[in-house]
């Protein structure tokens, strides 16, 4: 059977990787040059398998020198096969085109090195075939996963740096001219902060989110402690109810909340938001913190009780200091929920001076306001969460995995 | 002796109970007022014909004007009160307007005389009923008397006092099932039901599968793994409004990159409106399929945004696997796929079923994503979007509340299922 031979797999993977990287770098080329490039796959479908054969046949003498030679050979082959004009690009872009082809060859070779390493060209065992297959899928999967995750963010940032004219002229041109001065490059951001009150929205969002975190922690820490430690009747029912309440979505509550808050005049105010947000986050925080507190050893509590500390003192002096990381996680998670909240802010706030960021961005979503403003707003709303996330990733991840079934 | 001990213990228990309840009380109160009360109010509203306009309480608008010159020479003037019922729907009952005439004037005439009385310096007009949208006038003719002083005596100084009562749909005890009839009989009910379940099932299963794949990929250690792990969580931690609009712009039919790229590469002839087109024809082996495009895009977004969560849970569970089992399996000659199928998968099946149920509930309740991407148009209207559509776009709060009640009943059923399942598996 031909498909049980290593040679077959080298040809197969060479072809697939070739096509994959060709598409990838054509797209990159279009986005950086902003000029149309044509996607040509027929040549690479021959060159890729050839590279695969080259790799698997020469496995005995792999060295850095050999790798470099191979990459140069592939580059050369691609050039020749396109009659010196790959992508049918214009002449002035020759240098970038050359770089793209070099990168294409480089990545084809690296991918082959990853999934064909130590594979013999001869007949393979079932185990070898499977591990080749897994390595191959692993590589493709990882790249696709990263790309799919990042592309919308990339689009968000790049669009926010463009100006209206160039966006309409050529939507594909995402290259950013770094030679332009700061003012034109960040024009949308400056506009948002000067004409669209985004500084106010940022402050409002911070006020609402931080207050929500403080109120949530203030009420949920003692509550969680009570649920974890104290002997309360019907504790099980109570815990079950907490989870159930935590599952109720705000869309089910929004109509009565809207009606009642309109009636008592709290609807169009930040105070109203600060009243509603903690109610949605306290059950989450209670649920998460209860888990953490239960995990603390109760002997410390008993010892402290013997020493004459009251329960309140135990919470303040023992439970809170011992579970600081957990409290930080919960706090961050609650901050994230409040910061990202959209529906209630959208329904409640009418007055532009008290918009939160989510509400503010929604007001940019109109045909009169250019796209790059909308994307700049999106970037502004995303950055604080990202900063928190990158600095305190460990905490946030543990927060997410403790309570993150909601969202 | 034992008795005393028992008593001591009991009081300690009592104290603990009391303290526990005190510590939980604020939480209970807040949750009661902002979650449970609205939930019940939702049921209440769903049985009532309430529209968005009913939230503005009906008001009697009264304007006071003085006709004639009150300067030194002239003696006679006229005070006019124009009143109007601002509501277009509700009559006002027991309407009484009161005002005080300053000392410097004597009242000569009062119109309409039927309703108005004067007692000392106070005028009381008992207008009884003012029907909706109607208006009227009260005219008082006054004369200056000798006590008149220019600075003190301006009739406008005292504001007229208005009292009235009106019917309020929200608080009345009239109920009907019109809203539910409307929700269930509408031909779109089954459409909405179908879309909701399509969205929920494919969204949840897709996110779970991609999460499983991602966890498999990231389980292998490689350079930069922790960076990639952080990166994959980006879609989930960013504000929904930011990423939803990024998707909308990415797939925009006029200036979106995906469309112009596909046109550029000659994959399609003309741009596709990904979020605005209900169906697109796909031809496979000569058969034409109607592919629900917008719905699939919304499901794709759902998968993209929530796979990180399943990924996080599954990865955490996988890293707690005993390494030895795999070593033993390798010794026995199990291939990687066999290891996955016979060892990893059984380990994961518990957490995956829990995740599926929980995510199912949450996806079913998801509103923001669809609302921001398509606004519920082009065949993407789920129950949650329908709540908004009925209550705020058509401004029929009652019908919206009825849809919300339907959602809540689904939620309750799913949650009970979840509770039964989760007893078996703790996480």
């Amino acid at each position: 059977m031909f498909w049980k031979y290593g040679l077959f797999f080298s040809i197969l993977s060479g072809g697939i990787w070739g096509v994959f990287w060709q598409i990838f770098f054509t797209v990159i080329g279009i986005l950086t040059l902003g000029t149309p490039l044509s996607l040509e796959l027929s040549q690479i479908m021959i060159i890729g398998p050839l590279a695969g054969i080259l790799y698997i046949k020469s496995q005995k003498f792999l060295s850095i020198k050999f790798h470099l030679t191979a990459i140069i050979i592939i580059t050369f082959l691609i050039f020749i096969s396109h009659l010196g004009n790959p992508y049918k690009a214009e002449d002035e872009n020759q240098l970038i085109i050359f770089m793209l082809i070099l990168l294409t060859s480089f990545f084809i070779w690296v991918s082959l090195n990853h999934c064909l390493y130590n594979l013999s060209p001869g007949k393979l065992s079932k185990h070898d075939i499977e591990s080749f297959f897994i390595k191959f899928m692993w590589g493709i999967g990882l790249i696709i996963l990263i790309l799919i995750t990042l592309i919308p963010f990339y689009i968000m940032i790049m669009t926010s740096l463009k100006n209206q004219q160039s966006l309409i002229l050529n939507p594909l041109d995402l290259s950013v001219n770094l030679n332009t001065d700061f003012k034109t490059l960040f024009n949308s951001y400056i506009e948002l902060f000067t004409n669209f009150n985004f500084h106010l929205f940022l402050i409002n969002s911070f006020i609402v989110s931080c207050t929500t975190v403080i109120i949530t922690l203030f009420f949920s820490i003692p509550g969680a402690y009570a649920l974890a430690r104290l002997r309360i009747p019907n504790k099980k029912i109570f815990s079950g109810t907490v989870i159930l309440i935590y599952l109720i979505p705000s869309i089910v509550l929004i109509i009565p909340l809207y009606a009642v808050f309109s009636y008592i005049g709290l609807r169009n105010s930040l105070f109203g938001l600060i009243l509603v947000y903690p109610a949605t986050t306290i059950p989450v925080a209670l649920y998460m913190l209860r888990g953490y507190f239960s995990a603390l050893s109760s002997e410390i509590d008993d010892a402290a009780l013997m020493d004459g500390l009251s329960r309140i003192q135990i919470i303040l002096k023992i439970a809170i200091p011992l579970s600081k990381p957990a409290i930080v996680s919960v706090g961050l998670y609650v901050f994230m929920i409040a910061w990202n909240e959209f529906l209630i802010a959208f329904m409640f706030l009418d007055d532009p001076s008290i918009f939160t960021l989510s509400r503010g961005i929604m007001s940019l979503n109109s045909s009169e306001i250019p796209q790059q403003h909308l994307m700049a707003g999106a970037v502004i709303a995303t950055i604080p969460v990202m900063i928190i996330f990158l600095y305190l990733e460990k905490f946030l991840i543990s927060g997410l995995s403790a309570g993150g079934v909601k969202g | 002796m034992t008795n005393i001990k028992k008593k001591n213990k009991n009081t300690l228990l009592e104290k603990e109970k009391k303290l526990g309840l005190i510590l939980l009380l604020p939480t209970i109160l807040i949750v009661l007022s902002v979650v449970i009360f609205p939930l019940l109010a939702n049921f209440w509203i769903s049985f009532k014909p309430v529209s968005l306009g009913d939230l503005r309480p009906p008001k009697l608008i009264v304007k006071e004007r003085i006709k004639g010159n009150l300067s030194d020479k002239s003696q006679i003037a006229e005070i006019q009160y124009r009143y109007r019922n601002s509501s277009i729907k509700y009559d006002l009952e027991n309407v009484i307007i009161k005002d005080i005439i300053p000392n410097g004037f004597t009242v000569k005439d009062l119109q309409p005389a039927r309703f108005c009385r004067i007692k000392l310096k106070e005028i009381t007009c008992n207008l009884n009923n003012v029907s909706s949208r109607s208006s009227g006038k009260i005219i008082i003719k006054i004369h200056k008397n000798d006590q008149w002083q220019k600075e003190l005596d301006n009739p406008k100084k005292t504001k007229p006092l208005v009292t009235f009562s009106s019917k309020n749909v929200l608080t009345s005890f009239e109920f009907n099932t019109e809203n539910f009839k409307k929700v269930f009989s509408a031909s779109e009910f089954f459409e909405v039901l179908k879309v909701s379940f399509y969205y929920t099932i494919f969204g949840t299963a897709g996110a779970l599968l991609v999460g499983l794949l991602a966890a498999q990929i990231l389980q292998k250690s490689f350079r930069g793994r922790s960076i990639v792990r952080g990166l994959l969580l980006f879609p989930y931690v960013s504000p929904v409004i930011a990423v939803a609009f990024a998707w909308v712009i990415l797939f925009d039919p006029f200036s979106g990159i995906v469309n112009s790229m596909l046109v550029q590469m000659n994959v399609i002839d003309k741009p596709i409106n990904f979020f605005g087109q209900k169906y697109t024809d796909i031809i496979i082996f000569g058969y034409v399929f109607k592919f629900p495009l917008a719905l699939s895009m919304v499901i794709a977004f759902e998968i993209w945004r929530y796979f990180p969560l399943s990924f996080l849970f599954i990865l955490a569970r996988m890293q707690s696997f005993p390494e030895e089992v795999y070593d033993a399996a390798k010794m026995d000659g199990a291939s990687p796929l066999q290891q996955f199928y016979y060892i990893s998968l059984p380990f994961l099946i518990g957490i995956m079923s829990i995740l599926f149920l929980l995510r199912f509930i949450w996806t079913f309740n998801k509103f923001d994503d669809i609302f921001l991407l398509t606004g519920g148009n082009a065949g993407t209207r789920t129950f949650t979007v329908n709540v908004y559509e009925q209550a705020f776009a058509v401004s029929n709060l009652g019908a919206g509340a009825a849809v919300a009640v339907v959602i809540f009943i689904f939620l309750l059923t799913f949650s009970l299922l979840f509770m039964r399942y989760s007893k078996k598996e703790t996480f």
Side-chain angles (χ1 to χ4, degrees), chain B residues 66-67 70 75-79 101-102 105-109 123 140-144 155:
Chain B
I66 295 166
K67 276 200 158 175
L70 280 180
Q75 291 294 312
I76 311 168
E78 208 177 273
I79 307 177
I101 305 294
F105 297 105
T106 337
V107 176
K108 288 283 168 196
D109 189 23
I123 321 164
I140 305 171
K141 288 214 166 81
I142 46 175
H143 270 201
K144 272 189 232 166

Side-chain angles (χ1 to χ4, degrees), chain B residues 174-219:
Chain B
E174 285 167 40
F175 298 103
N176 60 43
T177 51
E178 280 306 305
N179 294 324
F180 286 96
K181 272 185 200 150
K182 201 178 160 202
V183 168
F184 282 109
S185 68
S187 60
E188 56 171 37
F189 178 79
F190 289 99
E191 171 77 15
V192 171
L193 188 77
K194 207 175 84 187
V195 169
S196 293
F197 275 93
Y198 257 61
Y199 173 71
T200 312
I201 291 169
F202 285 107
T204 313
L208 207 60
L209 279 182
V210 177
L212 179 66
L213 280 179
Q216 292 295 332
I217 287 169
L218 282 235
Q219 196 200 10

Side-chain angles (χ1 to χ4, degrees), chain B residues 281-342:
Chain B
D281 292 339
I282 289 185
I283 301 164
I284 303 172
F285 304 124
Y287 292 100
V288 180
F289 288 100
K290 273 196 163 179
F291 182 72
L293 184 65
L295 183 60
S296 306
M297 287 305 294
V298 172
I299 291 172
F301 180 81
E302 165 77 21
I303 294 173
W304 178 80
R305 190 161 142 75
Y306 295 102
F307 89 84
L309 213 73
S310 331
F311 152 73
L312 207 63
F313 277 92
I314 295 170
L315 191 66
R317 176 49 66 94
M318 275 178 14
Q319 277 164 353
S320 69
F321 282 176
E323 211 40 52
E324 303 87 46
V325 184
Y326 287 103
D327 293 341
K330 267 181 214 157
M331 293 285 267
D332 290 345
S335 71
L337 280 181
Q338 281 172 327
Q339 285 175 34
F340 173 73
Y341 194 76
Y342 291 108

Side-chain angles (χ1 to χ4, degrees), chain A residues 370-401:
Chain A
Q371 269 184 5
Q372 67 272 21
H373 284 21
L374 183 64
M375 285 297 96
V379 172
I380 293 171
T382 312
I383 282 175
V385 187
M386 286 297 161
I387 290 174
I388 292 176
F389 180 69
L390 292 177
Y391 269 94
L392 303 162
E393 187 187 324
K394 211 178 75 195
F395 290 113
L396 192 62
I397 285 185
S398 68
L400 285 178
S401 28

Side-chain angles (χ1 to χ4, degrees), chain B residues 77-96:
Chain B
E78 208 177 273
I79 307 177
Q80 282 191 1
Y81 297 98
R82 287 161 174 272
Y83 58 85
R84 188 167 58 83
N85 182 352
S86 69
S87 168
I88 53 167
K89 210 168 153 188
Y90 298 106
D91 298 349
L92 297 174
E93 289 157 359
N94 306 324
V95 181
I96 298 171

Side-chain angles (χ1 to χ4, degrees), chain A residues 263-279:
Chain A
Y263 241 87
I264 55 180
L266 276 179
R267 191 171 63 78
N268 188 13
S269 72
L270 287 183
F271 183 70
L273 277 194
I274 291 172
L275 229 60
V276 177
Y277 282 2

Side-chain angles (χ1 to χ4, degrees), chain A residues 158 161 175-182 184-186:
Chain A
M158 286 308 167
L161 296 176
S175 57
V176 167
N177 191 356
L178 291 173
N179 293 330
T180 50
D181 58 317
F182 178 84
T184 38
L185 194 59
F186 290 94

Side-chain angles (χ1 to χ4, degrees), chain B residues 150-418:
Chain B
K150 191 184 177 188
E151 291 79 19
L152 283 177
D153 295 329
N154 183 356
K156 271 190 146 180
K157 232 170 160 182
T158 53
K159 286 261 166 349
L161 200 74
V162 185
T163 55
F164 58 85
S165 62
S166 73
K167 255 204 264 174
N168 189 331
V169 227
L170 271 177
T171 49
S172 73
F173 284 92
E174 285 167 40
F175 298 103
N176 60 43
T177 51
E178 280 306 305
N179 294 324
F180 286 96
K181 272 185 200 150
K182 201 178 160 202
V183 168
F184 282 109
S185 68
S187 60
E188 56 171 37
F189 178 79
F190 289 99
E191 171 77 15
V192 171
L193 188 77
K194 207 175 84 187
V195 169
S196 293
F197 275 93
Y198 257 61
Y199 173 71
T200 312
I201 291 169
F202 285 107
T204 313
L208 207 60
L209 279 182
V210 177
L212 179 66
L213 280 179
Q216 292 295 332
I217 287 169
L218 282 235
Q219 196 200 10
K220 195 179 154 186
S221 69
F222 58 94
R223 219 181 299 152
R225 178 169 76 160
S226 63
I227 297 173
V228 175
R229 189 185 65 166
L231 224 122
L232 292 188
L233 293 174
F234 273 19
Y236 181 68
V237 295
S238 332
V240 58
I241 189 155
V243 286
F245 281 142
W247 270 60
V248 169
I249 282 179
L250 183 62
F251 289 100
D252 191 276
F254 305 109
S255 58
I257 296 194
V258 171
N259 266 313
S260 32
M261 194 92 79
L262 290 177
V263 170
Q264 193 79 250
M265 291 176 170
N266 290 325
V267 182
I268 51 175
D269 338 319
K270 59 175 195 291
I272 302 172
N273 191 354
F274 282 99
F275 286 113
Q277 202 174 320
K278 193 167 178 180
Y279 291 112
T280 182
D281 292 339
I282 289 185
I283 301 164
I284 303 172
F285 304 124
Y287 292 100
V288 180
F289 288 100
K290 273 196 163 179
F291 182 72
L293 184 65
L295 183 60
S296 306
M297 287 305 294
V298 172
I299 291 172
F301 180 81
E302 165 77 21
I303 294 173
W304 178 80
R305 190 161 142 75
Y306 295 102
F307 89 84
L309 213 73
S310 331
F311 152 73
L312 207 63
F313 277 92
I314 295 170
L315 191 66
R317 176 49 66 94
M318 275 178 14
Q319 277 164 353
S320 69
F321 282 176
E323 211 40 52
E324 303 87 46
V325 184
Y326 287 103
D327 293 341
K330 267 181 214 157
M331 293 285 267
D332 290 345
S335 71
L337 280 181
Q338 281 172 327
Q339 285 175 34
F340 173 73
Y341 194 76
Y342 291 108
I343 305 176
S344 309
L345 217 52
F347 258 123
L348 291 174
I349 211 80
I351 184 121
M352 280 179 59
S353 49
I354 290 284
L355 265 177
F356 182 82
L357 265 173
L358 264 180
R359 289 305 314 163
F360 189 91
I361 295 174
W362 267 102
T363 313
F364 191 83
N365 292 337
K366 206 78 224 157
F367 167 78
D368 306 1
D369 308 45
I370 305 175
F371 179 71
L372 290 170
L373 289 172
T374 64
N377 299 318
T380 59
R381 185 181 298 181
T382 58
F383 278 115
T384 47
V385 181
N386 210 17
V387 172
Y388 178 85
E389 197 70 20
Q390 298 287 353
F392 299 104
V394 188
S395 74
N396 185 349
L397 283 184
V403 181
V405 166
V406 174
I407 294 178
F408 183 71
I409 290 166
F410 274 117
L411 169 74
L412 213 61
T413 322
F414 297 147
S415 312
L416 291 177
L417 268 177
F418 166 69

